[in-house]
Amino acid sequence: MTIENVSRRKFLKASTVATGGLAISISMPGQAATLGNTAQESTFNPNAFVHLQDNGDVVIYCGRCEMGQGINTALPAAVADEMEADWQRVTVKQADGNEEKFGPQATGGSASIRVMLTPMREAGASAKLMLIAAAAKVWGVEPATCTAQNHYVVHKSTGKKLSFGQLASLAANQSVPEKPALKEKKDFNYIGKFIPNQNIEKIIKGQLTYGVDTKLPGLKYAAIVHCPVLGGKLKSLDDSAAKAIKGVSDVVVIDRLPIPYGSIGGVAVVADNSWTAQQAVKKLNVEWDLGDNAHYDTKQYKAQLVKNVESPAKLVTERGDLKAGLANAVKTLKATYTGGHLVHAPMEPNASVVWVQEDSCEVWAATQSPADIQKVLAQYLKREAKDIDVHVTMSGGAFGRKFKCDYVQEAAAISQQIKAPVQLTWTREEDTKTGYYHSINAQHIEAGIDDEGNISGWLHRVAFPAIGTLFNPAQERPGDGDFYAVDNYPYGIENFRSESGEAKAHTRIGWYRAVYAIFYGFSFSTFTDELAHLAGKDPLTYLNQLYDNNANPEQQEQASRSRHVLNLAAKKAGWFERDKLPKNQAIGLAVHFSFHSYVAMAVRVEVNGDDIKVLQVDSAIDCGQVLNVNGATAQMEGAVVMGMGLALRTEVTFRDGAVVNSNFHDYPVTRIHEMPVVHVHIVDSTHKSTGLGEPGVAPFAPALSNAVFAASGKRYRDIPFKPMSI
């Protein structure tokens, strides 16, 4: 973070934060940002994140979207830690969409802490040094003789102290540190500790503002129905029955916006309240031209993907001599793994409020990417992105779906036509049937082992419709960049080949929590367990052997840290005492590296015929320096919830081009009575903080599959294991 003084004129032209006083420029990851402080008597604003009032209260802004992952506690607590602020005096506020002020605001890829931790810590450290400088000036001493402690600046030798509130207006006139030093781990007050969620009281009392909670004078309410098949379009519409319902004011046809995250096209009903709109939309008599994807059938498509990966495909990576490696193997194994589409199914469906006026556009939305809203609406409305004001609300779950903003663009289209603010809320059914889906997929692996079980050769073919098809519909197979996890798995395999099979997209493919790690983690960890059985070795011993034999210097850290979390999870789960379990119970292991983090799971199950009951999960994670133990634990517990659902039963089915599922009765999420006992074991690490939200999902399904095999002898190679018949 580079900090420099800028002229007041330049500052006032570039920023809407300050009205005078000290102005500083902070370079955020990926771009420059001009920030300021309002050096009024009541507030000290050294940067966009810290606002200290003269009564001592501190407001810390969080630029990332809070959707249950605890980011609005973890990052602000790091600011408070560096500032030496009293956490009880801190209030956290959600920042509006403004990347110039707050840096990158896209909340996805488990990157929030990895990207923003250092800039936000430096923001807190800068504020602390300016407060110290102000106190030193009051006392006529050197700043080095002063220190900050729990919302005070203290003179070390005399014990004199001044509160942050007393120093607020004076600190605004101090020079801004260019490169503030950050605290060492031993001095942390909040980082790495257990801190309750900032919003917990408001959550319990129902006081938070979500996407559906914004109210404006003259607000109208809308519901929408889309063409059920990607690429289809409106053929005919009879809206007379809908318009006849009392309270209905408009029916709006929304054309397809052919850009990423734009609407696929639909028909919306506008009414005086959301219930009337949702009932009226059912009365629309709509006929669709379904287009080229009307033949899409996931059962047939998955079978075709299997054929594509069980036949030679396009070369991606090759090293060593795979043919010789397999020929020299003592034993060989072939297996094909598959997985179905998944939909995000957040508890809060898509919702936003938009008011488009002649000279302004204001948005209130539960969004993971306010910048994408600005970009898409700017293209649609033919305005500058900076003129689109986006207020980020709490999100009742997202998992990647609310990174896309088609639902916001649709609200803008309605508002522009009716010339009033509108709240558009998708129904659960529309949310399920008109999503951005996790890739249906197939993988085929062939490997050989020697007398000791060492891998002599490994062939890995993959086919799935890639996320890249959103931006290039002509893409018909995974790209080379989609194979990083396959080509760099830390087994140190010398004779290796990866291939990409054909897989054209027939629906919208998007990011889903853990993304490709779901099926890569499943195939690698399940196949490795199968290799251990083939070699006649204990799975834990065998995995350690593979990591120990890895001579690739570029993979040593990944192998070492993977091995560490694996052994930690196994030990905590009672792996070495598993012979004492009942015959129908067993423990399965899996470990996977994704989003720069290492997660292992040990899953204990009880199997009675086709009934699978998960009894206990021990999850070990190494994600570098953890910011908030409370949040990290909750993330791992949540990963188990989602992992159980996708492993056991959740799958999106397409027939005749359209989604068959509609609600939680045929896309069931994990219920509380199904939850196992979950133990989370966090590695105490000095490494840089890395991803936390997503990496916990991938190891669950393979650990469960391996546990079921150990308990019953039945091997699952397709997820979900027991899909619903719909």
Side-chain angles (χ1 to χ4, degrees):
M1 183 170 72
T2 303
I3 301 175
E4 62 184 16
N5 285 328
V6 297
S7 70
R8 184 174 185 273
R9 176 179 294 275
K10 181 179 178 182
F11 167 70
L12 288 175
K13 288 175 64 178
S15 173
T16 59
V17 175
T19 57
L22 180 65
I24 58 177
S25 176
I26 297 181
S27 179
M28 291 297 181
Q31 66 229 337
T34 301
L35 306 175
N37 80 342
T38 54
Q40 299 169 349
E41 292 185 359
S42 58
T43 309
F44 166 47
N45 306 140
N47 48 64
F49 301 109
V50 178
H51 289 223
L52 172 63
Q53 301 174 29
D54 62 358
N55 66 357
D57 291 341
V58 179
V59 175
I60 297 179
Y61 283 84
C62 182
R64 296 299 176 110
C65 168
E66 175 59 44
M67 48 190 170
Q69 83 280 37
I71 197 67
N72 72 347
T73 300
L75 282 175
V79 177
D81 203 329
E82 290 291 347
M83 188 177 173
E84 298 293 352
D86 179 355
W87 185 244
Q88 301 304 314
R89 303 292 303 276
V90 172
T91 299
V92 177
K93 289 189 177 181
Q94 175 66 53
D96 286 344
N98 191 325
E99 292 198 342
E100 286 192 32
K101 292 183 191 176
F102 300 104
Q105 290 180 278
T107 309
S110 296
S112 293
I113 288 174
R114 180 163 50 86
V115 172
M116 291 304 299
L117 177 58
T118 296
M120 291 190 73
R121 286 183 65 187
E122 289 178 341
S126 294
K128 175 182 66 180
L129 291 178
M130 294 170 76
L131 289 162
I132 288 175
K137 191 170 185 179
V138 170
W139 294 323
V141 299
E142 290 297 318
T145 65
C146 305
T147 187
Q149 296 176 359
N150 198 35
H151 237 69
Y152 287 88
V153 175
V154 180
H155 187 229
K156 297 176 186 178
S157 61
T158 65
K160 292 186 296 186
K161 63 182 183 180
L162 291 169
S163 71
F164 282 5
Q166 290 173 302
L167 294 167
S169 59
L170 297 174
N173 299 311
Q174 303 307 307
S175 299
V176 182
E178 291 191 4
K179 292 185 178 181
L182 302 181
K183 295 169 70 171
E184 296 182 13
K185 182 174 182 176
K186 63 180 178 59
D187 298 321
F188 289 158
N189 296 318
Y190 309 128
I191 296 175
K193 305 300 192 297
F194 186 101
I195 304 175
N197 191 301
Q198 262 279 326
N199 290 327
I200 191 64
E201 183 176 347
K202 291 183 178 180
I203 291 173
I204 293 171
K205 294 180 178 180
Q207 295 175 339
L208 290 178
T209 299
Y210 290 83
V212 297
D213 292 332
T214 299
K215 305 300 177 188
L216 299 174
L219 183 67
K220 293 291 186 178
Y221 298 82
I224 192 167
V225 62
H226 301 87
C227 180
V229 178
L230 180 65
K233 58 185 179 181
L234 182 65
K235 189 174 183 180
S236 66
L237 169 66
D238 180 355
D239 58 11
S240 56
K243 285 184 173 179
I245 296 176
K246 183 179 180 180
V248 171
S249 56
D250 292 276
V251 173
V252 178
V253 175
I254 299 174
D255 295 328
R256 176 175 174 264
L257 182 64
I259 62 174
Y261 310 163
S263 174
I264 64 171
V267 183
V269 174
V270 183
D272 294 337
N273 58 72
S274 58
W275 173 255
T276 299
Q278 290 176 10
Q279 297 311 301
V281 82
K282 298 175 184 178
K283 299 293 186 180
L284 293 173
N285 187 357
V286 184
E287 186 179 359
W288 304 100
D289 178 350
L290 298 180
D292 296 338
N293 290 316
H295 67 281
Y296 185 44
D297 182 292
T298 45
K299 184 176 180 180
Q300 296 175 4
Y301 186 79
K302 187 183 287 187
Q304 184 60 53
L305 290 181
V306 169
K307 291 181 180 179
N308 293 351
V309 297
E310 291 183 347
S311 305
K314 178 180 177 290
L315 173 66
V316 176
T317 298
E318 187 172 35
R319 57 179 182 263
D321 189 338
L322 176 64
K323 185 176 180 180
L326 294 177
N328 295 330
V330 173
K331 295 180 181 178
T332 59
L333 178 66
K334 298 180 181 180
T336 298
Y337 302 92
T338 54
H341 283 301
L342 300 168
V343 69
H344 304 84
M347 293 297 102
E348 176 200 28
N350 296 326
S352 67
V353 170
V354 181
W355 193 359
V356 178
Q357 300 183 72
E358 288 188 8
D359 57 353
S360 65
C361 176
E362 202 161 4
V363 176
W364 293 261
T367 175
Q368 293 176 254
S369 182
D372 275 300
I373 291 177
Q374 292 172 315
K375 179 180 178 181
V376 170
L377 292 195
Q379 291 184 65
Y380 175 71
L381 298 171
K382 296 179 173 54
R383 303 181 184 184
E384 294 292 324
K386 63 181 177 61
D387 295 331
I388 312 296
D389 294 325
V390 179
H391 309 292
V392 181
T393 69
M394 268 289 292
S395 177
F399 315 118
R401 176 58 179 94
K402 291 169 186 172
F403 206 99
K404 297 85 175 173
C405 55
D406 48 343
Y407 58 103
V408 182
Q409 185 255 310
E410 290 170 346
I414 299 168
S415 176
Q416 186 180 40
Q417 180 158 328
I418 69 173
K419 302 186 186 316
V422 65
Q423 179 189 92
L424 173 63
T425 304
W426 287 22
T427 62
R428 172 66 56 195
E429 289 76 13
E430 207 62 28
D431 197 48
T432 302
K433 292 177 176 291
T434 317
Y436 287 79
Y437 302 95
H438 176 63
S439 305
I440 189 171
N441 57 86
Q443 299 174 80
H444 180 73
I445 306 176
E446 299 180 16
I449 58 174
D450 61 19
D451 285 327
E452 298 298 318
N454 299 312
I455 298 172
S456 59
W458 185 296
L459 168 67
H460 202 130
R461 293 197 194 102
V462 180
F464 59 86
I467 294 170
T469 58
L470 280 179
F471 310 96
N472 177 21
Q475 181 177 336
E476 293 191 350
R477 66 181 70 239
D480 291 0
D482 296 328
F483 278 75
Y484 180 85
V486 174
D487 296 343
N488 295 279
Y489 214 79
Y491 286 170
I493 303 169
E494 294 182 7
N495 302 310
F496 174 86
R497 180 182 175 95
S498 62
E499 296 177 0
S500 175
E502 186 175 334
K504 179 178 172 60
H506 297 287
T507 187
R508 295 190 295 184
I509 305 299
W511 293 275
Y512 175 98
R513 186 180 183 184
V515 205
Y516 301 156
I518 292 173
F519 50 78
Y520 285 149
F522 182 65
S523 66
F524 269 100
S525 286
T526 307
F527 191 77
T528 303
D529 195 81
E530 295 194 45
L531 285 179
H533 183 72
L534 183 67
K537 295 200 172 189
D538 168 84
L540 178 60
T541 302
Y542 187 68
L543 274 164
N544 278 308
Q545 174 183 324
L546 294 182
Y547 289 133
D548 290 340
N549 289 345
N550 186 351
N552 185 340
E554 296 181 359
Q555 296 180 343
Q556 289 306 298
E557 179 176 321
Q558 189 176 341
S560 175
R561 294 173 74 180
S562 295
R563 182 174 55 240
H564 181 67
V565 292
L566 171 69
N567 286 282
L568 176 60
K571 180 181 178 182
K572 295 293 186 179
W575 177 264
F576 301 104
E577 295 83 36
R578 67 191 187 283
D579 58 332
K580 299 177 183 178
L581 296 174
K583 289 186 178 180
N584 63 338
Q585 292 187 20
I587 299 173
L589 299 175
V591 59
H592 194 68
F593 169 75
S594 62
F595 302 94
H596 305 272
S597 295
Y598 308 80
V599 180
M601 284 194 180
V603 175
R604 179 160 66 90
V605 299
E606 179 178 283
V607 181
N608 294 296
D610 291 331
D611 181 60
I612 299 171
K613 184 177 182 180
V614 182
L615 302 176
Q616 180 175 311
V617 178
D618 283 85
S619 176
I621 180 167
D622 177 356
C623 58
Q625 172 64 59
V626 169
L627 267 68
N628 183 3
V629 172
N630 180 32
T633 301
Q635 287 281 51
M636 292 300 103
E637 292 168 342
V640 170
V641 174
M642 184 165 274
M644 281 185 65
L646 66 88
L648 289 173
R649 55 179 176 251
T650 53
E651 180 177 21
V652 171
T653 299
F654 282 77
R655 291 196 200 104
D656 299 323
V659 173
V660 178
N661 315 69
S662 61
N663 211 312
F664 290 134
H665 69 282
D666 54 16
Y667 192 84
V669 298
T670 302
R671 302 287 181 166
I672 193 167
H673 72 274
E674 300 171 298
M675 275 299 292
V677 175
V678 180
H679 300 140
V680 178
H681 313 285
I682 301 173
V683 174
D684 185 13
S685 175
T686 57
H687 286 92
K688 181 180 178 180
S689 299
T690 52
L692 186 58
E694 295 172 275
V697 176
F700 183 86
L704 178 60
S705 175
N706 297 339
V708 171
F709 175 76
S712 67
K714 184 173 183 179
R715 179 71 72 180
Y716 287 99
R717 290 176 173 171
D718 180 44
I719 48 177
F721 300 167
K722 300 186 292 182
M724 298 185 67
S725 297
I726 57 175

